[in-house]
Amino acid sequence: MSFAEHGADGVAILLWAADPQRPQQLATPFFHAAAAAAMDVPVEIYCTAASVHLLAPGVAAALRASERNDMSILDHIRQAVRLGAKVFACSDALHAQGLADTALIPECSGRGGAVQFMARAIDLRWRTLVF
């Protein structure tokens, strides 16, 4: 089913201000990623700055967007990944946040940062969102 007459080749999402210190803002990017993936649109999520902490074991599992939400942030990440989204960690951000040697959650597809995101941003067939 096509939701757009001229759909994009994919959606790249940059998590820049999505900080684990503000969990009320963390479900929305993954909710949008899951929605796009459910529409069979390729989705790439690039975690940078403090958002790379979400990829460290135990961090996202302990966070909820609100006390009324039964889903943890890790549940939101898993939902997006289950629908086809790929999650990448910025190597520079991992280093800057002291996580360069930390094993990441299995939902992380690998490393990807500024170069990969900018390649999507300048590709007119892709759409980008920044959270």
Side-chain angles (χ1 to χ4, degrees):
M1 174 179 201
S2 178
F3 289 89
E5 184 177 338
H6 302 288
D9 283 357
V11 175
I13 299 173
L14 180 69
L15 300 187
W16 172 70
D19 189 326
Q21 301 276 341
R22 295 185 305 275
Q24 68 276 13
Q25 297 176 347
L26 297 176
T28 301
F30 297 106
F31 191 77
H32 282 81
M39 293 188 289
D40 294 323
V41 175
V43 177
E44 297 174 354
I45 303 167
Y46 294 90
C47 295
T48 188
S51 73
V52 294
H53 285 279
L54 298 174
L55 305 178
V59 175
L63 298 172
R64 287 186 167 42
S66 81
E67 57 190 45
R68 293 185 207 127
N69 192 337
D70 291 336
M71 290 178 67
S72 70
I73 300 305
L74 180 58
D75 293 331
H76 287 283
I77 293 170
R78 286 180 172 159
Q79 181 179 47
V81 169
R82 189 172 47 253
L83 290 166
K86 293 187 172 155
V87 180
F88 298 100
C90 174
S91 297
D92 289 335
L94 288 169
H95 181 72
Q97 298 292 322
L99 298 172
D101 297 325
T102 302
L104 303 178
I105 60 174
E107 291 76 14
C108 181
S109 299
R111 302 292 193 264
V115 172
Q116 292 83 0
F117 181 78
M118 288 310 300
R120 295 305 192 197
I122 63 174
D123 186 334
L124 297 177
R125 297 165 299 192
W126 276 68
R127 303 297 181 264
T128 57
L129 297 171
V130 178
F131 289 92

